[in-house]
Amino acid sequence: MLIHLSSWPEIDARLNTTKTVVVPIGSNEQHGPTGLLGTDWLCPEIIAHAAEKQDESLVVAPTFNIGMAQHHLAFAGTISLRPSTFMAAITDWVSSLSRHGFERIYFLNGHGGNVATIEATFAEIYAEWSFVEEQPPFVLKLKNWWDLPGVHSFCTKMFPTGHGMHATPSEIAVTQAAYPELVKTADLDPKIAPVGPIRDALDYRARFPDGRIGSDPLQASPEKGQQIIDVAVPALLRDVADFSAEALP
Ligand SMILES: [Zn+2]
């Protein structure tokens, strides 16, 4: 059940049988000359929506599609939040979902740059309850889609060279599977992008002129992306089921 394509009575009724909700979360940022700007929110959305198609009992929230992308701001189309804005927004999403009765909130993340801030947000939220010696009415979980069991090893086996860290062939392949009409090409020089530290936007643009880090995204194809989705979907359904069944003190 997708929240944004449901009515409130439908969600109200579903809360009688499930207290778990999956929130795809990512970032809208440059992904090299061939990658879609939405790659990091599209990947978790594509995987979560495919999982919901297989198991309609899965409740999926709208995608939280803007995140920590200040270092990509020297590339057109990138939109970033400050960490403080991101934390405030996540907190309000959690409060809204909790208010309706969702007790287990599972963030499926598509952007490595979000991880530290999402974890800091969880700590901020939990601290409010710890200080007053009460249990929060919800538990939170963060999972990167590539960390779902079996996915990362599958991707690195599929792309033994030029997988890299940003604009990877695996994430671009996942978007190509969902949007094959949007497959793009470009002359990439060098074929495999350089690697280095991530700092501010101008430093990033100078080190990684076309936006990629360590990757050769031209290895991506819609067929390969579908294979990755086919590994990720059952892994997500299992992980969410385990989270829902986890005994709480
Ligand atoms: Zn990405």
Side-chain angles (χ1 to χ4, degrees):
M1 173 173 269
L2 304 179
I3 287 182
H4 70 287
L5 297 182
S6 306
S7 65
W8 75 259
E10 290 173 319
I11 299 299
D12 212 30
R14 180 56 60 89
L15 277 157
N16 292 322
T17 53
T18 183
K19 306 287 187 194
T20 303
V21 59
V22 174
V23 184
I25 190 166
S27 176
N28 196 86
E29 60 183 49
Q30 70 81 17
H31 268 74
T34 62
L36 305 180
L37 280 141
T39 297
D40 282 358
W41 63 263
L42 286 167
C43 288
E45 179 177 280
I46 290 162
I47 292 163
H49 287 197
E52 189 269 346
K53 271 216 171 76
Q54 272 189 28
D55 179 356
E56 203 270 332
S57 74
L58 192 74
V59 178
V60 181
T63 302
F64 193 130
N65 60 14
I66 305 294
M68 300 290 88
Q70 58 78 17
H71 50 291
H72 294 295
L73 281 171
F75 297 88
T78 298
I79 302 172
S80 185
L81 300 175
R82 295 162 197 270
S84 53
T85 317
F86 191 49
M87 293 173 79
I90 293 169
T91 303
D92 288 353
W93 280 53
V94 168
S95 298
S96 302
L97 292 166
S98 166
R99 186 193 192 286
H100 304 311
F102 289 107
E103 296 173 353
R104 296 174 195 236
I105 304 175
Y106 183 110
F107 287 87
L108 183 65
N109 179 47
H111 176 47
N114 283 349
V115 170
T117 314
I118 294 174
E119 286 179 344
T121 309
F122 287 3
E124 283 276 0
I125 292 170
Y126 288 141
E128 292 302 321
W129 301 87
S130 301
F131 281 128
V132 296
E133 210 178 339
E134 279 179 34
Q135 277 201 336
F138 50 78
V139 288
L140 308 169
K141 182 176 170 111
L142 169 64
K143 181 72 102 177
N144 301 314
W145 68 262
W146 57 86
D147 287 331
L148 288 165
V151 172
H152 185 69
S153 56
F154 185 81
C155 292
T156 51
K157 206 174 284 171
M158 181 178 266
F159 304 111
T161 59
H163 189 266
M165 279 73 74
H166 187 67
T168 67
S170 56
E171 60 181 346
I172 287 173
V174 168
T175 65
Q176 289 180 347
Y179 300 94
E181 70 281 12
L182 298 180
V183 173
K184 300 173 198 303
T185 192
D187 292 325
L188 298 184
D189 183 24
K191 182 173 155 58
I192 295 179
V195 296
I198 297 175
R199 295 181 179 140
D200 68 283
L202 290 179
D203 183 278
Y204 188 108
R205 181 84 196 226
R207 288 177 193 278
F208 315 112
D210 71 8
R212 300 171 294 142
I213 304 179
S215 68
D216 170 17
L218 295 184
Q219 300 176 84
S221 72
E223 294 73 25
K224 290 173 182 167
Q226 191 56 53
Q227 289 177 41
I228 296 169
I229 295 168
D230 290 343
V231 173
V233 164
L236 174 64
L237 288 170
R238 264 196 310 277
D239 204 44
V240 172
D242 289 349
F243 180 52
S244 300
E246 189 190 309
L248 299 178

